[in-house]
PDB file of all heavy atoms in Angstrom:
ATOM      1  N   PRO A 261     -34.664   6.082 -25.950  1.00  0.00           N
ATOM      2  CA  PRO A 261     -33.749   7.196 -25.641  1.00  0.00           C
ATOM      3  C   PRO A 261     -32.956   7.629 -26.867  1.00  0.00           C
ATOM      4  O   PRO A 261     -32.840   6.897 -27.857  1.00  0.00           O
ATOM      5  CB  PRO A 261     -32.812   6.596 -24.578  1.00  0.00           C
ATOM      6  CG  PRO A 261     -33.519   5.399 -24.049  1.00  0.00           C
ATOM      7  CD  PRO A 261     -34.381   4.884 -25.151  1.00  0.00           C
ATOM      8  N   ASP A 262     -32.387   8.827 -26.786  1.00  0.00           N
ATOM      9  CA  ASP A 262     -31.538   9.333 -27.864  1.00  0.00           C
ATOM     10  C   ASP A 262     -30.398   8.364 -28.128  1.00  0.00           C
ATOM     11  O   ASP A 262     -29.843   7.762 -27.203  1.00  0.00           O
ATOM     12  CB  ASP A 262     -30.956  10.701 -27.493  1.00  0.00           C
ATOM     13  CG  ASP A 262     -32.011  11.794 -27.540  1.00  0.00           C
ATOM     14  OD1 ASP A 262     -33.060  11.572 -28.175  1.00  0.00           O
ATOM     15  OD2 ASP A 262     -31.785  12.859 -26.929  1.00  0.00           O
ATOM     16  N   GLY A 263     -30.046   8.231 -29.396  1.00  0.00           N
ATOM     17  CA  GLY A 263     -28.941   7.352 -29.774  1.00  0.00           C
ATOM     18  C   GLY A 263     -29.400   5.998 -30.270  1.00  0.00           C
ATOM     19  O   GLY A 263     -28.648   5.276 -30.912  1.00  0.00           O
ATOM     20  N   TRP A 264     -30.637   5.616 -29.961  1.00  0.00           N
ATOM     21  CA  TRP A 264     -31.177   4.352 -30.470  1.00  0.00           C
ATOM     22  C   TRP A 264     -31.688   4.589 -31.895  1.00  0.00           C
ATOM     23  O   TRP A 264     -32.294   5.617 -32.183  1.00  0.00           O
ATOM     24  CB  TRP A 264     -32.333   3.868 -29.601  1.00  0.00           C
ATOM     25  CG  TRP A 264     -31.918   3.271 -28.291  1.00  0.00           C
ATOM     26  CD1 TRP A 264     -31.320   3.928 -27.262  1.00  0.00           C
ATOM     27  CD2 TRP A 264     -32.084   1.922 -27.874  1.00  0.00           C
ATOM     28  NE1 TRP A 264     -31.102   3.058 -26.225  1.00  0.00           N
ATOM     29  CE2 TRP A 264     -31.569   1.821 -26.565  1.00  0.00           C
ATOM     30  CE3 TRP A 264     -32.631   0.782 -28.471  1.00  0.00           C
ATOM     31  CZ2 TRP A 264     -31.571   0.628 -25.857  1.00  0.00           C
ATOM     32  CZ3 TRP A 264     -32.637  -0.408 -27.758  1.00  0.00           C
ATOM     33  CH2 TRP A 264     -32.108  -0.488 -26.469  1.00  0.00           C
ATOM     34  N   THR A 265     -31.447   3.626 -32.764  1.00  0.00           N
ATOM     35  CA  THR A 265     -31.944   3.709 -34.141  1.00  0.00           C
ATOM     36  C   THR A 265     -32.562   2.369 -34.528  1.00  0.00           C
ATOM     37  O   THR A 265     -32.391   1.363 -33.828  1.00  0.00           O
ATOM     38  CB  THR A 265     -30.805   4.032 -35.139  1.00  0.00           C
ATOM     39  OG1 THR A 265     -29.794   3.018 -35.032  1.00  0.00           O
ATOM     40  CG2 THR A 265     -30.197   5.393 -34.858  1.00  0.00           C
ATOM     41  N   SER A 266     -33.257   2.375 -35.632  1.00  0.00           N
ATOM     42  CA  SER A 266     -33.845   1.136 -36.137  1.00  0.00           C
ATOM     43  C   SER A 266     -33.393   0.939 -37.572  1.00  0.00           C
ATOM     44  O   SER A 266     -33.500   1.848 -38.387  1.00  0.00           O
ATOM     45  CB  SER A 266     -35.367   1.216 -36.094  1.00  0.00           C
ATOM     46  OG  SER A 266     -35.919   0.059 -36.693  1.00  0.00           O
ATOM     47  N   ASN A 267     -32.859  -0.260 -37.869  1.00  0.00           N
ATOM     48  CA  ASN A 267     -32.399  -0.479 -39.238  1.00  0.00           C
ATOM     49  C   ASN A 267     -33.419  -1.228 -40.104  1.00  0.00           C
ATOM     50  O   ASN A 267     -33.228  -1.357 -41.293  1.00  0.00           O
ATOM     51  CB  ASN A 267     -31.030  -1.168 -39.264  1.00  0.00           C
ATOM     52  CG  ASN A 267     -31.007  -2.469 -38.501  1.00  0.00           C
ATOM     53  OD1 ASN A 267     -32.021  -2.917 -37.983  1.00  0.00           O
ATOM     54  ND2 ASN A 267     -29.844  -3.083 -38.424  1.00  0.00           N
ATOM     55  N   TYR A 268     -34.492  -1.728 -39.498  1.00  0.00           N
ATOM     56  CA  TYR A 268     -35.594  -2.264 -40.307  1.00  0.00           C
ATOM     57  C   TYR A 268     -36.848  -2.387 -39.452  1.00  0.00           C
ATOM     58  O   TYR A 268     -36.788  -2.497 -38.228  1.00  0.00           O
ATOM     59  CB  TYR A 268     -35.249  -3.620 -40.938  1.00  0.00           C
ATOM     60  CG  TYR A 268     -35.190  -4.787 -39.964  1.00  0.00           C
ATOM     61  CD1 TYR A 268     -36.330  -5.514 -39.629  1.00  0.00           C
ATOM     62  CD2 TYR A 268     -33.978  -5.167 -39.381  1.00  0.00           C
ATOM     63  CE1 TYR A 268     -36.269  -6.583 -38.751  1.00  0.00           C
ATOM     64  CE2 TYR A 268     -33.910  -6.231 -38.509  1.00  0.00           C
ATOM     65  CZ  TYR A 268     -35.061  -6.941 -38.186  1.00  0.00           C
ATOM     66  OH  TYR A 268     -34.998  -7.989 -37.304  1.00  0.00           O
ATOM     67  N   ALA A 269     -37.977  -2.356 -40.113  1.00  0.00           N
ATOM     68  CA  ALA A 269     -39.277  -2.593 -39.484  1.00  0.00           C
ATOM     69  C   ALA A 269     -40.150  -3.180 -40.582  1.00  0.00           C
ATOM     70  O   ALA A 269     -40.223  -2.629 -41.677  1.00  0.00           O
ATOM     71  CB  ALA A 269     -39.870  -1.300 -38.939  1.00  0.00           C
ATOM     72  N   ARG A 270     -40.805  -4.303 -40.296  1.00  0.00           N
ATOM     73  CA  ARG A 270     -41.583  -4.954 -41.365  1.00  0.00           C
ATOM     74  C   ARG A 270     -42.711  -5.810 -40.795  1.00  0.00           C
ATOM     75  O   ARG A 270     -42.627  -6.336 -39.686  1.00  0.00           O
ATOM     76  CB  ARG A 270     -40.678  -5.797 -42.241  1.00  0.00           C
ATOM     77  CG  ARG A 270     -39.988  -6.929 -41.500  1.00  0.00           C
ATOM     78  CD  ARG A 270     -39.057  -7.723 -42.388  1.00  0.00           C
ATOM     79  NE  ARG A 270     -38.216  -8.628 -41.618  1.00  0.00           N
ATOM     80  CZ  ARG A 270     -36.914  -8.672 -41.669  1.00  0.00           C
ATOM     81  NH1 ARG A 270     -36.249  -7.862 -42.477  1.00  0.00           N
ATOM     82  NH2 ARG A 270     -36.233  -9.529 -40.933  1.00  0.00           N
ATOM     83  N   TRP A 271     -43.733  -5.954 -41.607  1.00  0.00           N
ATOM     84  CA  TRP A 271     -44.843  -6.851 -41.303  1.00  0.00           C
ATOM     85  C   TRP A 271     -44.633  -8.122 -42.121  1.00  0.00           C
ATOM     86  O   TRP A 271     -44.432  -8.072 -43.333  1.00  0.00           O
ATOM     87  CB  TRP A 271     -46.178  -6.204 -41.659  1.00  0.00           C
ATOM     88  CG  TRP A 271     -47.326  -7.161 -41.564  1.00  0.00           C
ATOM     89  CD1 TRP A 271     -48.037  -7.705 -42.589  1.00  0.00           C
ATOM     90  CD2 TRP A 271     -47.866  -7.707 -40.360  1.00  0.00           C
ATOM     91  NE1 TRP A 271     -48.993  -8.557 -42.104  1.00  0.00           N
ATOM     92  CE2 TRP A 271     -48.912  -8.582 -40.726  1.00  0.00           C
ATOM     93  CE3 TRP A 271     -47.567  -7.557 -39.001  1.00  0.00           C
ATOM     94  CZ2 TRP A 271     -49.665  -9.294 -39.791  1.00  0.00           C
ATOM     95  CZ3 TRP A 271     -48.320  -8.263 -38.067  1.00  0.00           C
ATOM     96  CH2 TRP A 271     -49.356  -9.114 -38.461  1.00  0.00           C
ATOM     97  N   ASP A 272     -44.648  -9.267 -41.441  1.00  0.00           N
ATOM     98  CA  ASP A 272     -44.515 -10.569 -42.102  1.00  0.00           C
ATOM     99  C   ASP A 272     -45.856 -11.281 -41.951  1.00  0.00           C
ATOM    100  O   ASP A 272     -46.293 -11.577 -40.834  1.00  0.00           O
ATOM    101  CB  ASP A 272     -43.385 -11.373 -41.424  1.00  0.00           C
ATOM    102  CG  ASP A 272     -43.193 -12.755 -42.030  1.00  0.00           C
ATOM    103  OD1 ASP A 272     -44.065 -13.220 -42.791  1.00  0.00           O
ATOM    104  OD2 ASP A 272     -42.165 -13.381 -41.732  1.00  0.00           O
ATOM    105  N   SER A 273     -46.503 -11.543 -43.063  1.00  0.00           N
ATOM    106  CA  SER A 273     -47.848 -12.128 -43.027  1.00  0.00           C
ATOM    107  C   SER A 273     -47.875 -13.580 -42.581  1.00  0.00           C
ATOM    108  O   SER A 273     -48.947 -14.168 -42.430  1.00  0.00           O
ATOM    109  CB  SER A 273     -48.508 -11.993 -44.402  1.00  0.00           C
ATOM    110  OG  SER A 273     -47.736 -12.690 -45.366  1.00  0.00           O
ATOM    111  N   GLY A 274     -46.716 -14.185 -42.368  1.00  0.00           N
ATOM    112  CA  GLY A 274     -46.665 -15.548 -41.836  1.00  0.00           C
ATOM    113  C   GLY A 274     -46.831 -16.635 -42.864  1.00  0.00           C
ATOM    114  O   GLY A 274     -47.203 -17.759 -42.526  1.00  0.00           O
ATOM    115  N   VAL A 275     -46.551 -16.320 -44.121  1.00  0.00           N
ATOM    116  CA  VAL A 275     -46.688 -17.326 -45.187  1.00  0.00           C
ATOM    117  C   VAL A 275     -45.810 -18.547 -44.893  1.00  0.00           C
ATOM    118  O   VAL A 275     -46.236 -19.689 -45.054  1.00  0.00           O
ATOM    119  CB  VAL A 275     -46.312 -16.726 -46.558  1.00  0.00           C
ATOM    120  CG1 VAL A 275     -46.279 -17.798 -47.631  1.00  0.00           C
ATOM    121  CG2 VAL A 275     -47.287 -15.626 -46.930  1.00  0.00           C
ATOM    122  N   ASN A 276     -44.591 -18.335 -44.422  1.00  0.00           N
ATOM    123  CA  ASN A 276     -43.677 -19.455 -44.170  1.00  0.00           C
ATOM    124  C   ASN A 276     -43.871 -20.081 -42.788  1.00  0.00           C
ATOM    125  O   ASN A 276     -43.838 -21.300 -42.647  1.00  0.00           O
ATOM    126  CB  ASN A 276     -42.221 -18.988 -44.316  1.00  0.00           C
ATOM    127  CG  ASN A 276     -41.899 -18.584 -45.733  1.00  0.00           C
ATOM    128  OD1 ASN A 276     -42.392 -19.187 -46.685  1.00  0.00           O
ATOM    129  ND2 ASN A 276     -41.085 -17.560 -45.899  1.00  0.00           N
ATOM    130  N   SER A 277     -44.068 -19.245 -41.781  1.00  0.00           N
ATOM    131  CA  SER A 277     -44.145 -19.766 -40.409  1.00  0.00           C
ATOM    132  C   SER A 277     -45.562 -20.110 -39.969  1.00  0.00           C
ATOM    133  O   SER A 277     -45.754 -20.860 -39.008  1.00  0.00           O
ATOM    134  CB  SER A 277     -43.571 -18.727 -39.433  1.00  0.00           C
ATOM    135  OG  SER A 277     -44.401 -17.577 -39.422  1.00  0.00           O
ATOM    136  N   GLY A 278     -46.555 -19.559 -40.655  1.00  0.00           N
ATOM    137  CA  GLY A 278     -47.934 -19.769 -40.231  1.00  0.00           C
ATOM    138  C   GLY A 278     -48.367 -18.809 -39.140  1.00  0.00           C
ATOM    139  O   GLY A 278     -49.511 -18.847 -38.690  1.00  0.00           O
ATOM    140  N   VAL A 279     -47.443 -17.950 -38.702  1.00  0.00           N
ATOM    141  CA  VAL A 279     -47.750 -16.979 -37.647  1.00  0.00           C
ATOM    142  C   VAL A 279     -47.379 -15.583 -38.157  1.00  0.00           C
ATOM    143  O   VAL A 279     -46.202 -15.299 -38.376  1.00  0.00           O
ATOM    144  CB  VAL A 279     -46.969 -17.292 -36.346  1.00  0.00           C
ATOM    145  CG1 VAL A 279     -47.237 -16.225 -35.288  1.00  0.00           C
ATOM    146  CG2 VAL A 279     -47.329 -18.676 -35.822  1.00  0.00           C
ATOM    147  N   PRO A 280     -48.360 -14.706 -38.361  1.00  0.00           N
ATOM    148  CA  PRO A 280     -48.041 -13.344 -38.805  1.00  0.00           C
ATOM    149  C   PRO A 280     -47.368 -12.560 -37.678  1.00  0.00           C
ATOM    150  O   PRO A 280     -47.808 -12.634 -36.519  1.00  0.00           O
ATOM    151  CB  PRO A 280     -49.397 -12.751 -39.178  1.00  0.00           C
ATOM    152  CG  PRO A 280     -50.408 -13.608 -38.493  1.00  0.00           C
ATOM    153  CD  PRO A 280     -49.803 -14.943 -38.248  1.00  0.00           C
ATOM    154  N   VAL A 281     -46.312 -11.834 -38.021  1.00  0.00           N
ATOM    155  CA  VAL A 281     -45.550 -11.122 -36.984  1.00  0.00           C
ATOM    156  C   VAL A 281     -45.138  -9.727 -37.445  1.00  0.00           C
ATOM    157  O   VAL A 281     -45.007  -9.455 -38.633  1.00  0.00           O
ATOM    158  CB  VAL A 281     -44.264 -11.898 -36.577  1.00  0.00           C
ATOM    159  CG1 VAL A 281     -44.593 -13.233 -35.960  1.00  0.00           C
ATOM    160  CG2 VAL A 281     -43.328 -12.073 -37.755  1.00  0.00           C
ATOM    161  N   TRP A 282     -44.917  -8.871 -36.459  1.00  0.00           N
ATOM    162  CA  TRP A 282     -44.322  -7.548 -36.640  1.00  0.00           C
ATOM    163  C   TRP A 282     -42.905  -7.654 -36.116  1.00  0.00           C
ATOM    164  O   TRP A 282     -42.671  -8.136 -35.014  1.00  0.00           O
ATOM    165  CB  TRP A 282     -45.134  -6.527 -35.857  1.00  0.00           C
ATOM    166  CG  TRP A 282     -44.506  -5.167 -35.717  1.00  0.00           C
ATOM    167  CD1 TRP A 282     -44.061  -4.601 -34.554  1.00  0.00           C
ATOM    168  CD2 TRP A 282     -44.280  -4.200 -36.737  1.00  0.00           C
ATOM    169  NE1 TRP A 282     -43.573  -3.335 -34.797  1.00  0.00           N
ATOM    170  CE2 TRP A 282     -43.696  -3.072 -36.146  1.00  0.00           C
ATOM    171  CE3 TRP A 282     -44.503  -4.187 -38.118  1.00  0.00           C
ATOM    172  CZ2 TRP A 282     -43.329  -1.937 -36.868  1.00  0.00           C
ATOM    173  CZ3 TRP A 282     -44.147  -3.053 -38.835  1.00  0.00           C
ATOM    174  CH2 TRP A 282     -43.572  -1.944 -38.219  1.00  0.00           C
ATOM    175  N   GLU A 283     -41.933  -7.199 -36.932  1.00  0.00           N
ATOM    176  CA  GLU A 283     -40.527  -7.292 -36.539  1.00  0.00           C
ATOM    177  C   GLU A 283     -39.848  -5.936 -36.695  1.00  0.00           C
ATOM    178  O   GLU A 283     -40.081  -5.233 -37.675  1.00  0.00           O
ATOM    179  CB  GLU A 283     -39.779  -8.284 -37.442  1.00  0.00           C
ATOM    180  CG  GLU A 283     -40.231  -9.707 -37.308  1.00  0.00           C
ATOM    181  CD  GLU A 283     -39.463 -10.630 -38.250  1.00  0.00           C
ATOM    182  OE1 GLU A 283     -39.265 -10.245 -39.427  1.00  0.00           O
ATOM    183  OE2 GLU A 283     -39.066 -11.704 -37.799  1.00  0.00           O
ATOM    184  N   VAL A 284     -38.993  -5.625 -35.716  1.00  0.00           N
ATOM    185  CA  VAL A 284     -38.207  -4.392 -35.768  1.00  0.00           C
ATOM    186  C   VAL A 284     -36.797  -4.728 -35.287  1.00  0.00           C
ATOM    187  O   VAL A 284     -36.632  -5.466 -34.305  1.00  0.00           O
ATOM    188  CB  VAL A 284     -38.801  -3.278 -34.873  1.00  0.00           C
ATOM    189  CG1 VAL A 284     -38.015  -1.983 -35.062  1.00  0.00           C
ATOM    190  CG2 VAL A 284     -40.282  -3.066 -35.163  1.00  0.00           C
TER     191      VAL A 284
END
């Protein structure tokens, strides 16, 4: 809805966690 914003969006290949993730 209007008024929502996103301050980051990134792809993490999982080098540290072992699990690749999409984060927003």
Side-chain angles (χ1 to χ4, degrees):
D262 287 342
W264 284 66
T265 58
S266 175
N267 56 3
Y268 72 87
R270 62 182 169 234
W271 171 252
D272 179 346
S273 61
V275 173
N276 294 324
S277 66
V279 177
V281 297
W282 168 247
E283 294 179 317
V284 185

